[in-house]
């Protein structure tokens, strides 16, 4: 393992304790949780995440990494609340789903590198499962409807924003109204055809890329099951389109200490690849760099 470069240190994170203000069911086994965390809300950029655990207890002991789904301002325009969307699966998320309003949670973040705000003509977000969670903020920054970071990053860097969102069935699609309200072009696909088209996300993406002009600067970002992201990466490579992936490897610390979240990433030098910590050197990587 090569030495971790200073730019990947998690020294800009803040640890806060806050009470759960909302914890709503937004899809089958899918919840949206809201907490007041002004320090995190003010500095987070799209694609970054927080670690969360229940405060004052060691059961469960290990926190859970959750992408920041949304940032909401108070009446003065100050970023104050963050929303986290999660799937109830496992001890930590089961505990969160059963937590009453007012329950104290500890969060540390923002963590990870986040998506770049590289200009393009068209941003296509290809997601599956719970992979939609980092895309609301990214799309809003891209179309200029919201700014993120401290100092605020440049927004309005894409002329068009599309979301291709797949799930097993209609009931698992969460946040669709939020994406439409944000003025994204939304295409839904389900395994059983209960919503949208009965196709897989990579196939829908391939057809979409084939019909778009080759003169457009197209950028694809993807998040979801690894097998889906691998196929999206292949589609983009064949179409010669830039693609970034948001890796969802399990994390324990979120700050690069425990080495539990490493991914095989290609590199230059005598060794063709190395293990990279998804929590600090990711979770966003160029799709061509991942050893699938």
């Amino acid at each position: 393992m090569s030495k971790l470069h200073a730019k990947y240190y998690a020294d800009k994170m803040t640890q806060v304790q806050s009470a759960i203000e909302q914890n709503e069911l937004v899809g089958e086994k899918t919840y949206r949780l809201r907490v007041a965390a002004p320090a995190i809300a003010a500095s987070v950029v799209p694609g970054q995440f927080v670690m969360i655990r229940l405060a004052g207890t060691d059961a469960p002991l290990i926190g859970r990494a959750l992408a920041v789904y949304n940032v909401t301002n108070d009446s003065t325009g100050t970023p104050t609340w963050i929303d986290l969307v999660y799937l109830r699966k496992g001890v930590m998320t089961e505990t969160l789903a059963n937590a009453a309003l007012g329950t104290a949670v500890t969060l540390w973040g923002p963590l990870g590198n986040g998506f770049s705000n590289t200009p393009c003509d068209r941003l296509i977000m290809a997601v599956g499962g719970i992979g939609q969670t980092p895309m609301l903020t990214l799309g809003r920054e891209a179309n200029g409807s919201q700014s993120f970071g401290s100092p605020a990053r440049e927004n309005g860097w894409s002329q068009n924003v599309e979301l291709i969102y797949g799930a097993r069935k209609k009931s698992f699609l969460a946040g669709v109204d939020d994406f439409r309200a944000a003025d994204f072009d939304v295409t839904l696909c389900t395994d059983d055809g209960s919503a949208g088209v009965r196709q897989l996300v990579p196939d829908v993406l391939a057809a979409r890329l084939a019909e778009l002009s080759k003169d457009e600067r197209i950028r694809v970002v993807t998040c979801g099951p690894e097998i889906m992201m691998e196929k999206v990466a292949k589609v983009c490579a064949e179409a010669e389109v830039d693609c970034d992936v948001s890796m969802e490897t399990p994390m324990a610390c979120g700050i690069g200490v425990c080495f539990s979240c490493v991914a095989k990433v290609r590199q230059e030098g005598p060794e063709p690849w190395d293990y990279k910590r998804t929590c600090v050197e990711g979770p966003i990587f160029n799709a061509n760099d991942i050893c699938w």
Side-chain angles (χ1 to χ4, degrees):
M1 174 68 68
S2 58
K3 184 178 180 181
L4 189 64
H5 191 277
K7 72 177 181 178
Y8 298 121
Y9 293 165
D11 57 350
K12 295 182 180 180
M13 74 171 190
T14 302
Q15 180 168 307
V16 301
Q17 183 170 309
S18 188
I20 297 174
E21 297 189 24
Q22 294 181 16
N23 199 15
E24 302 174 341
L25 189 68
V26 293
E28 185 169 340
K29 298 183 180 180
T30 308
Y31 294 77
R32 183 179 62 232
L33 180 147
R34 176 170 292 184
V35 293
I40 296 175
S43 57
V44 69
V45 300
Q48 288 189 301
F49 65 95
V50 299
M51 297 293 295
I52 183 171
R53 65 187 303 273
L54 269 68
T57 179
D58 58 4
L61 176 62
I62 297 174
R64 180 68 184 268
L66 297 176
V68 174
Y69 175 73
N70 196 20
V71 173
T72 303
N73 298 344
D74 66 12
S75 59
T76 68
T78 302
T80 302
W81 293 274
I82 61 171
D83 289 355
L84 309 170
V85 172
Y86 64 94
L87 183 68
R88 194 180 75 227
K89 181 182 180 182
V91 176
M92 182 65 209
T93 50
E94 186 74 33
T95 303
L96 277 179
N98 292 324
L101 298 185
T103 299
V105 293
T106 299
L107 306 98
W108 54 105
L111 299 167
N113 56 357
F115 291 105
S116 74
N117 57 346
T118 304
C120 59
D121 296 321
R122 185 177 302 273
L123 174 69
I124 302 178
M125 303 176 290
V127 305
I130 198 68
Q132 87 282 15
T133 53
M135 301 304 174
L136 184 62
T137 54
L138 179 64
R140 282 179 170 167
E141 182 185 75
N143 69 14
S145 59
Q146 196 166 353
S147 297
F148 299 92
S150 180
R153 303 202 311 181
E154 182 178 351
N155 64 2
W157 42 263
S158 181
Q159 298 175 23
N160 301 280
V161 177
E162 298 184 23
L163 177 74
I164 301 173
Y165 180 13
R168 282 180 282 169
K169 55 184 179 179
K170 181 179 180 179
S171 60
F172 279 101
L173 294 168
V176 175
D177 289 343
D178 293 335
F179 296 116
R180 287 177 172 152
D183 203 27
F184 305 165
D185 292 331
V186 178
T187 300
L188 303 178
C189 41
T190 48
D191 293 351
D192 64 356
S194 54
V197 296
R198 189 174 186 175
Q199 287 182 278
L200 300 177
V201 169
D203 297 331
V204 175
L205 174 64
R208 183 68 180 125
L209 292 178
E211 67 185 17
L212 291 172
S213 169
K214 299 298 183 182
D215 295 328
E216 276 194 284
R217 295 175 300 164
I218 300 171
R219 180 179 166 199
V220 173
V221 297
T222 184
C223 184
E226 189 165 310
I227 189 172
M228 183 213 75
M229 292 195 293
E230 180 181 1
K231 291 179 179 179
V232 165
K234 182 178 179 181
V235 166
C236 291
E238 292 174 348
E240 298 182 335
V241 169
D242 290 336
C243 179
D244 289 327
V245 298
S246 177
M247 301 297 288
E248 292 190 322
T249 50
M251 301 178 190
C253 72
I255 58 174
V257 174
C258 70
F259 292 81
S260 68
C261 65
V262 292
K264 290 176 67 174
V265 180
R266 293 185 178 88
Q267 64 178 14
E268 296 181 357
E271 298 296 332
W273 62 269
D274 194 3
Y275 285 114
K276 302 295 183 182
R277 300 170 180 89
T278 300
C279 64
V280 288
E281 294 167 289
I284 314 303
F285 295 95
N286 185 286
N288 293 327
D289 294 338
I290 301 297
C291 300
W292 299 103

